[in-house]
Each structure stands twice: as structure tokens, then as C-alpha cells.
Amino acid sequence: MIGRRFPRTGTEPATAQSPLGLRLLLSSVFVPLFCAAAAFFGLWAADWSPGDSPGRGALVALAAVCAALAVLAAVDLAVVVRRMRRERGT
């Protein structure tokens, strides 16, 4: 692809670059971290017994939130990799 896909509309400098490298680093760190946290909270919720604190509902909610954040980070990682390939032309 030659040229710009969309014309410049703002006042950003002509040499402005997207922080794709930082997003790649953060996503690649947080995908396994959130997956591990979701597994940890899920196993903790499965091993829960009455009278334990925190409650089972809270642990399940934490596991669900961590799983959702892992999916979000994985989608962001896929988007970043796609954009970096497109910018490099491969």
C-alpha cells in the first residue's frame, strides 16, 4: 500500500508514530498474567468451602474479570501484530 490510508486531519506532527511497541510489550506480558490469575481464582473458587473468606461468588467474579481481561489483551495483541505487519509491508 502506497500513501496514507486516511488523510491527516489533526495537528499531529508528520513524523508522529504509534506506540505499537509498547502495546506489544504490555499485551504480551498481560495475556499470560491474566490467564494465570483466572486459573488461580477459578481453582480457588472450586476448592472453596463454606465459611471461607472471600466468598465463592467473589472468587468466581474475579476469575471472570481476569478471563475477560486476558481475552481483551489477546485481541489487542492480535491487532498490534497485524498493524506492525501492515506497516512493515510483510
Side-chain angles (χ1 to χ4, degrees):
M1 177 182 275
I2 298 174
R4 293 190 164 276
R5 183 172 181 179
F6 301 107
R8 290 180 31 167
T9 58
T11 59
E12 72 275 358
T15 58
Q17 294 182 0
S18 173
L20 291 178
L22 179 60
R23 283 178 57 189
L24 180 70
L25 175 70
L26 289 174
S27 292
S28 62
V29 166
F30 282 109
V31 167
L33 183 73
F34 284 133
C35 286
F40 173 74
F41 288 124
L43 290 173
W44 190 5
D47 192 38
W48 181 85
S49 60
D52 286 350
S53 181
R56 183 173 184 183
L59 294 172
V60 170
L62 282 171
V65 167
C66 288
L69 288 172
V71 168
L72 185 66
V75 168
D76 187 52
L77 184 63
V79 168
V80 168
V81 168
R82 183 175 150 256
R83 285 185 183 175
M84 289 180 88
R85 284 183 182 162
R86 187 183 68 202
E87 285 181 3
R88 292 187 179 145
T90 58

